[in-house]
mmCIF file of all heavy atoms in Angstrom:
data_model
loop_
_atom_site.group_PDB
_atom_site.id
_atom_site.type_symbol
_atom_site.label_atom_id
_atom_site.label_comp_id
_atom_site.label_asym_id
_atom_site.label_seq_id
_atom_site.Cartn_x
_atom_site.Cartn_y
_atom_site.Cartn_z
ATOM 1 N N TYR A 45 -65.019 24.440 -24.233
ATOM 2 C CA TYR A 45 -64.976 23.216 -23.426
ATOM 3 C C TYR A 45 -65.300 21.990 -24.300
ATOM 4 O O TYR A 45 -64.640 20.970 -24.207
ATOM 5 C CB TYR A 45 -66.004 23.290 -22.296
ATOM 6 C CG TYR A 45 -65.632 24.279 -21.182
ATOM 7 C CD1 TYR A 45 -66.579 25.077 -20.609
ATOM 8 C CD2 TYR A 45 -64.336 24.347 -20.713
ATOM 9 C CE1 TYR A 45 -66.256 25.976 -19.584
ATOM 10 C CE2 TYR A 45 -63.989 25.245 -19.705
ATOM 11 C CZ TYR A 45 -64.953 26.054 -19.144
ATOM 12 O OH TYR A 45 -64.617 26.907 -18.128
ATOM 13 N N THR A 137 -65.365 16.301 -12.208
ATOM 14 C CA THR A 137 -64.496 17.162 -11.410
ATOM 15 C C THR A 137 -64.235 16.558 -10.015
ATOM 16 O O THR A 137 -63.078 16.431 -9.609
ATOM 17 C CB THR A 137 -65.070 18.597 -11.341
ATOM 18 O OG1 THR A 137 -65.202 19.090 -12.685
ATOM 19 C CG2 THR A 137 -64.155 19.527 -10.559
ATOM 20 N N VAL A 160 -66.512 23.550 0.327
ATOM 21 C CA VAL A 160 -67.184 24.844 0.243
ATOM 22 C C VAL A 160 -67.912 24.904 -1.094
ATOM 23 O O VAL A 160 -67.263 24.906 -2.152
ATOM 24 C CB VAL A 160 -66.215 26.030 0.408
ATOM 25 C CG1 VAL A 160 -66.959 27.350 0.350
ATOM 26 C CG2 VAL A 160 -65.421 25.898 1.708
ATOM 27 N N GLY A 161 -69.237 24.940 -1.059
ATOM 28 C CA GLY A 161 -70.045 24.912 -2.292
ATOM 29 C C GLY A 161 -70.867 23.630 -2.344
ATOM 30 O O GLY A 161 -70.330 22.561 -2.044
ATOM 31 N N ARG A 162 -72.143 23.758 -2.677
ATOM 32 C CA ARG A 162 -73.020 22.556 -2.653
ATOM 33 C C ARG A 162 -73.700 22.345 -4.009
ATOM 34 O O ARG A 162 -74.861 21.902 -4.079
ATOM 35 C CB ARG A 162 -74.080 22.682 -1.563
ATOM 36 C CG ARG A 162 -74.931 23.940 -1.702
ATOM 37 C CD ARG A 162 -76.025 24.029 -0.652
ATOM 38 N NE ARG A 162 -76.541 25.373 -0.566
ATOM 39 C CZ ARG A 162 -77.451 25.760 0.306
ATOM 40 N NH1 ARG A 162 -77.922 24.917 1.166
ATOM 41 N NH2 ARG A 162 -77.871 26.999 0.300
ATOM 42 N N SER A 163 -73.002 22.697 -5.103
ATOM 43 C CA SER A 163 -73.620 22.502 -6.418
ATOM 44 C C SER A 163 -73.744 21.012 -6.733
ATOM 45 O O SER A 163 -73.014 20.179 -6.222
ATOM 46 C CB SER A 163 -72.793 23.191 -7.502
ATOM 47 O OG SER A 163 -71.617 22.474 -7.742
ATOM 48 N N VAL A 164 -74.703 20.730 -7.633
ATOM 49 C CA VAL A 164 -74.949 19.347 -8.051
ATOM 50 C C VAL A 164 -73.736 18.819 -8.852
ATOM 51 O O VAL A 164 -73.434 17.630 -8.820
ATOM 52 C CB VAL A 164 -76.225 19.330 -8.927
ATOM 53 C CG1 VAL A 164 -76.401 17.974 -9.613
ATOM 54 C CG2 VAL A 164 -77.423 19.636 -8.062
ATOM 55 N N LEU A 165 -73.021 19.742 -9.498
ATOM 56 C CA LEU A 165 -71.904 19.376 -10.362
ATOM 57 C C LEU A 165 -70.622 19.098 -9.544
ATOM 58 O O LEU A 165 -69.837 18.229 -9.920
ATOM 59 C CB LEU A 165 -71.636 20.544 -11.320
ATOM 60 C CG LEU A 165 -70.900 20.296 -12.609
ATOM 61 C CD1 LEU A 165 -71.673 19.355 -13.485
ATOM 62 C CD2 LEU A 165 -70.697 21.642 -13.332
ATOM 63 N N VAL A 166 -70.394 19.849 -8.497
ATOM 64 C CA VAL A 166 -69.117 19.754 -7.794
ATOM 65 C C VAL A 166 -69.290 19.478 -6.280
ATOM 66 O O VAL A 166 -68.908 18.406 -5.805
ATOM 67 C CB VAL A 166 -68.234 21.013 -7.980
ATOM 68 C CG1 VAL A 166 -66.857 20.776 -7.381
ATOM 69 C CG2 VAL A 166 -68.136 21.429 -9.447
ATOM 70 N N GLY A 167 -69.835 20.433 -5.538
ATOM 71 C CA GLY A 167 -69.783 20.353 -4.076
ATOM 72 C C GLY A 167 -70.471 19.119 -3.498
ATOM 73 O O GLY A 167 -69.888 18.391 -2.714
ATOM 74 N N CYS A 184 -70.127 23.241 3.358
ATOM 75 C CA CYS A 184 -70.446 24.663 3.602
ATOM 76 C C CYS A 184 -71.064 25.265 2.349
ATOM 77 O O CYS A 184 -70.832 24.796 1.218
ATOM 78 C CB CYS A 184 -69.182 25.439 3.948
ATOM 79 S SG CYS A 184 -68.377 24.876 5.446
ATOM 80 N N HIS A 185 -71.801 26.358 2.525
ATOM 81 C CA HIS A 185 -72.471 27.011 1.401
ATOM 82 C C HIS A 185 -72.715 28.476 1.719
ATOM 83 O O HIS A 185 -72.220 28.971 2.751
ATOM 84 C CB HIS A 185 -73.767 26.262 1.066
ATOM 85 C CG HIS A 185 -74.595 25.981 2.272
ATOM 86 N ND1 HIS A 185 -75.369 26.936 2.871
ATOM 87 C CD2 HIS A 185 -74.685 24.851 3.028
ATOM 88 C CE1 HIS A 185 -75.937 26.397 3.927
ATOM 89 N NE2 HIS A 185 -75.533 25.145 4.055
ATOM 90 N N SER A 186 -73.468 29.146 0.870
ATOM 91 C CA SER A 186 -73.596 30.586 1.005
ATOM 92 C C SER A 186 -74.306 31.020 2.306
ATOM 93 O O SER A 186 -74.162 32.158 2.725
ATOM 94 C CB SER A 186 -74.378 31.132 -0.177
ATOM 95 O OG SER A 186 -75.595 30.451 -0.322
ATOM 96 N N ARG A 187 -74.998 30.114 2.951
ATOM 97 C CA ARG A 187 -75.683 30.480 4.226
ATOM 98 C C ARG A 187 -74.888 30.023 5.464
ATOM 99 O O ARG A 187 -75.381 30.149 6.584
ATOM 100 C CB ARG A 187 -77.071 29.855 4.274
ATOM 101 C CG ARG A 187 -77.966 30.200 3.110
ATOM 102 C CD ARG A 187 -78.545 31.624 3.254
ATOM 103 N NE ARG A 187 -79.284 31.954 2.064
ATOM 104 C CZ ARG A 187 -80.598 31.743 1.920
ATOM 105 N NH1 ARG A 187 -81.273 31.199 2.895
ATOM 106 N NH2 ARG A 187 -81.193 32.076 0.821
ATOM 107 N N THR A 188 -73.731 29.449 5.255
ATOM 108 C CA THR A 188 -72.912 29.026 6.395
ATOM 109 C C THR A 188 -72.553 30.249 7.232
ATOM 110 O O THR A 188 -72.126 31.268 6.670
ATOM 111 C CB THR A 188 -71.635 28.306 5.873
ATOM 112 O OG1 THR A 188 -72.032 27.129 5.189
ATOM 113 C CG2 THR A 188 -70.690 27.957 7.013
ATOM 114 N N LEU A 191 -67.766 30.852 8.037
ATOM 115 C CA LEU A 191 -67.047 29.995 7.078
ATOM 116 C C LEU A 191 -65.634 29.664 7.585
ATOM 117 O O LEU A 191 -65.222 28.509 7.569
ATOM 118 C CB LEU A 191 -67.006 30.648 5.706
ATOM 119 C CG LEU A 191 -66.382 29.824 4.591
ATOM 120 C CD1 LEU A 191 -67.195 28.559 4.318
ATOM 121 C CD2 LEU A 191 -66.240 30.650 3.326
ATOM 122 N N VAL A 203 -62.549 23.843 -2.283
ATOM 123 C CA VAL A 203 -63.272 25.095 -2.451
ATOM 124 C C VAL A 203 -63.858 25.179 -3.847
ATOM 125 O O VAL A 203 -63.136 25.232 -4.843
ATOM 126 C CB VAL A 203 -62.324 26.306 -2.204
ATOM 127 C CG1 VAL A 203 -63.164 27.571 -2.121
ATOM 128 C CG2 VAL A 203 -61.520 26.128 -0.918
ATOM 129 N N ALA A 204 -65.201 25.197 -3.903
ATOM 130 C CA ALA A 204 -65.914 25.286 -5.176
ATOM 131 C C ALA A 204 -67.102 26.229 -4.997
ATOM 132 O O ALA A 204 -68.248 25.854 -5.085
ATOM 133 C CB ALA A 204 -66.369 23.915 -5.644
ATOM 134 N N ALA A 205 -66.783 27.502 -4.692
ATOM 135 C CA ALA A 205 -67.826 28.499 -4.430
ATOM 136 C C ALA A 205 -68.046 29.395 -5.647
ATOM 137 O O ALA A 205 -69.060 30.049 -5.750
ATOM 138 C CB ALA A 205 -67.460 29.314 -3.206
ATOM 139 N N GLY A 206 -67.046 29.457 -6.523
ATOM 140 C CA GLY A 206 -67.182 30.345 -7.691
ATOM 141 C C GLY A 206 -67.037 31.826 -7.305
ATOM 142 O O GLY A 206 -67.560 32.679 -7.999
ATOM 143 N N ILE A 207 -66.280 32.079 -6.206
ATOM 144 C CA ILE A 207 -66.055 33.488 -5.795
ATOM 145 C C ILE A 207 -64.536 33.721 -5.747
ATOM 146 O O ILE A 207 -63.837 33.090 -4.940
ATOM 147 C CB ILE A 207 -66.666 33.748 -4.413
ATOM 148 C CG1 ILE A 207 -68.181 33.518 -4.503
ATOM 149 C CG2 ILE A 207 -66.343 35.164 -3.918
ATOM 150 C CD1 ILE A 207 -68.921 33.815 -3.247
ATOM 151 N N LEU A 210 -62.060 33.942 -2.399
ATOM 152 C CA LEU A 210 -62.879 33.809 -1.177
ATOM 153 C C LEU A 210 -62.041 33.310 0.017
ATOM 154 O O LEU A 210 -62.234 33.743 1.149
ATOM 155 C CB LEU A 210 -64.022 32.828 -1.453
ATOM 156 C CG LEU A 210 -64.914 32.462 -0.260
ATOM 157 C CD1 LEU A 210 -65.779 33.663 0.160
ATOM 158 C CD2 LEU A 210 -65.836 31.266 -0.607
ATOM 159 N N ASP A 224 -58.417 23.916 -4.980
ATOM 160 C CA ASP A 224 -59.136 25.085 -5.494
ATOM 161 C C ASP A 224 -59.807 24.731 -6.816
ATOM 162 O O ASP A 224 -59.153 24.506 -7.836
ATOM 163 C CB ASP A 224 -58.092 26.215 -5.699
ATOM 164 C CG ASP A 224 -58.762 27.545 -6.057
ATOM 165 O OD1 ASP A 224 -59.985 27.599 -6.217
ATOM 166 O OD2 ASP A 224 -58.000 28.541 -6.148
ATOM 167 N N VAL A 225 -61.146 24.678 -6.804
ATOM 168 C CA VAL A 225 -61.885 24.300 -8.012
ATOM 169 C C VAL A 225 -62.244 25.524 -8.875
ATOM 170 O O VAL A 225 -62.459 25.431 -10.056
ATOM 171 C CB VAL A 225 -63.183 23.535 -7.627
ATOM 172 C CG1 VAL A 225 -63.887 23.025 -8.869
ATOM 173 C CG2 VAL A 225 -62.873 22.375 -6.693
ATOM 174 N N GLY A 226 -62.277 26.698 -8.231
ATOM 175 C CA GLY A 226 -62.725 27.912 -8.921
ATOM 176 C C GLY A 226 -61.911 28.249 -10.149
ATOM 177 O O GLY A 226 -60.694 28.006 -10.187
ATOM 178 N N ILE A 227 -62.569 28.788 -11.133
ATOM 179 C CA ILE A 227 -61.886 29.302 -12.349
ATOM 180 C C ILE A 227 -62.457 30.683 -12.650
ATOM 181 O O ILE A 227 -63.646 30.813 -12.905
ATOM 182 C CB ILE A 227 -62.108 28.415 -13.582
ATOM 183 C CG1 ILE A 227 -61.658 26.981 -13.317
ATOM 184 C CG2 ILE A 227 -61.317 28.965 -14.786
ATOM 185 C CD1 ILE A 227 -61.881 26.036 -14.513
ATOM 186 N N HIS A 228 -61.597 31.683 -12.639
ATOM 187 C CA HIS A 228 -62.015 33.046 -12.941
ATOM 188 C C HIS A 228 -60.977 33.661 -13.887
ATOM 189 O O HIS A 228 -59.789 33.546 -13.656
ATOM 190 C CB HIS A 228 -62.121 33.874 -11.676
ATOM 191 C CG HIS A 228 -62.923 33.196 -10.609
ATOM 192 N ND1 HIS A 228 -64.290 33.153 -10.648
ATOM 193 C CD2 HIS A 228 -62.536 32.467 -9.532
ATOM 194 C CE1 HIS A 228 -64.698 32.461 -9.608
ATOM 195 N NE2 HIS A 228 -63.672 32.018 -8.922
ATOM 196 N N ASP A 237 -60.650 30.332 -6.442
ATOM 197 C CA ASP A 237 -61.399 30.839 -5.274
ATOM 198 C C ASP A 237 -60.451 31.056 -4.093
ATOM 199 O O ASP A 237 -60.880 31.562 -3.047
ATOM 200 C CB ASP A 237 -62.462 29.815 -4.844
ATOM 201 C CG ASP A 237 -63.639 29.741 -5.827
ATOM 202 O OD1 ASP A 237 -63.668 30.511 -6.781
ATOM 203 O OD2 ASP A 237 -64.528 28.880 -5.594
ATOM 204 N N VAL A 257 -56.948 21.427 -10.718
ATOM 205 C CA VAL A 257 -58.147 20.612 -10.932
ATOM 206 C C VAL A 257 -58.567 20.595 -12.385
ATOM 207 O O VAL A 257 -59.019 19.561 -12.905
ATOM 208 C CB VAL A 257 -59.296 21.137 -10.044
ATOM 209 C CG1 VAL A 257 -60.586 20.397 -10.326
ATOM 210 C CG2 VAL A 257 -58.924 21.043 -8.556
ATOM 211 N N GLY A 258 -58.440 21.749 -13.066
ATOM 212 C CA GLY A 258 -58.957 21.882 -14.444
ATOM 213 C C GLY A 258 -58.609 20.732 -15.368
ATOM 214 O O GLY A 258 -59.529 20.113 -15.951
ATOM 215 N N PRO A 259 -57.329 20.394 -15.524
ATOM 216 C CA PRO A 259 -56.965 19.322 -16.468
ATOM 217 C C PRO A 259 -57.557 17.972 -16.108
ATOM 218 O O PRO A 259 -57.708 17.094 -16.961
ATOM 219 C CB PRO A 259 -55.427 19.267 -16.394
ATOM 220 C CG PRO A 259 -55.010 20.546 -15.762
ATOM 221 C CD PRO A 259 -56.137 21.018 -14.912
ATOM 222 N N THR A 261 -60.585 17.285 -15.096
ATOM 223 C CA THR A 261 -61.992 17.118 -15.441
ATOM 224 C C THR A 261 -62.153 16.364 -16.760
ATOM 225 O O THR A 261 -62.900 15.385 -16.881
ATOM 226 C CB THR A 261 -62.703 18.477 -15.457
ATOM 227 O OG1 THR A 261 -62.602 19.028 -14.125
ATOM 228 C CG2 THR A 261 -64.175 18.366 -15.808
HETATM 229 P P1 NAD B 1 -72.235 27.095 -8.457
HETATM 230 O O1 NAD B 1 -72.348 28.578 -8.643
HETATM 231 O O2 NAD B 1 -73.220 26.169 -9.025
HETATM 232 O O3 NAD B 1 -72.203 26.797 -6.876
HETATM 233 C C1 NAD B 1 -71.497 27.627 -5.984
HETATM 234 C C2 NAD B 1 -71.730 27.153 -4.582
HETATM 235 O O4 NAD B 1 -70.945 27.955 -3.686
HETATM 236 C C3 NAD B 1 -73.179 27.240 -4.118
HETATM 237 O O5 NAD B 1 -73.563 25.999 -3.551
HETATM 238 C C4 NAD B 1 -73.148 28.315 -3.043
HETATM 239 O O6 NAD B 1 -74.011 28.021 -1.940
HETATM 240 C C5 NAD B 1 -71.703 28.333 -2.583
HETATM 241 N N1 NAD B 1 -71.272 29.650 -2.160
HETATM 242 C C6 NAD B 1 -71.479 30.831 -2.806
HETATM 243 N N2 NAD B 1 -70.986 31.851 -2.043
HETATM 244 C C7 NAD B 1 -70.473 31.302 -0.914
HETATM 245 C C8 NAD B 1 -69.822 31.838 0.213
HETATM 246 N N3 NAD B 1 -69.600 33.142 0.340
HETATM 247 N N4 NAD B 1 -69.438 30.978 1.196
HETATM 248 C C9 NAD B 1 -69.638 29.661 1.072
HETATM 249 N N5 NAD B 1 -70.237 29.094 -0.016
HETATM 250 C C10 NAD B 1 -70.659 29.904 -0.986
HETATM 251 O O7 NAD B 1 -70.776 26.745 -8.919
HETATM 252 P P2 NAD B 1 -70.065 25.343 -9.397
HETATM 253 O O8 NAD B 1 -70.635 24.931 -10.690
HETATM 254 O O9 NAD B 1 -69.981 24.383 -8.269
HETATM 255 O O10 NAD B 1 -68.606 25.918 -9.693
HETATM 256 C C11 NAD B 1 -67.816 26.531 -8.684
HETATM 257 C C12 NAD B 1 -66.536 27.072 -9.284
HETATM 258 O O11 NAD B 1 -65.797 26.004 -9.813
HETATM 259 C C13 NAD B 1 -66.743 28.035 -10.447
HETATM 260 O O12 NAD B 1 -65.699 29.019 -10.411
HETATM 261 C C14 NAD B 1 -66.572 27.185 -11.678
HETATM 262 O O13 NAD B 1 -66.125 27.918 -12.798
HETATM 263 C C15 NAD B 1 -65.545 26.218 -11.178
HETATM 264 N N6 NAD B 1 -65.562 24.913 -11.843
HETATM 265 C C16 NAD B 1 -64.383 24.405 -12.246
HETATM 266 C C17 NAD B 1 -64.321 23.148 -12.832
HETATM 267 C C18 NAD B 1 -62.981 22.607 -13.223
HETATM 268 O O14 NAD B 1 -62.909 21.712 -14.015
HETATM 269 N N7 NAD B 1 -61.906 23.088 -12.648
HETATM 270 C C19 NAD B 1 -65.463 22.391 -13.008
HETATM 271 C C20 NAD B 1 -66.676 22.911 -12.581
HETATM 272 C C21 NAD B 1 -66.702 24.179 -11.965
#
Side-chain angles (χ1 to χ4, degrees):
Y45 289 139
T137 302
V160 181
R162 58 177 163 183
S163 73
V164 170
L165 202 62
V166 188
C184 298
H185 47 78
S186 53
R187 304 282 175 91
T188 296
L191 184 64
V203 190
I207 299 183
L210 175 70
D224 188 355
V225 186
I227 303 179
H228 310 283
D237 288 356
V257 174
T261 298

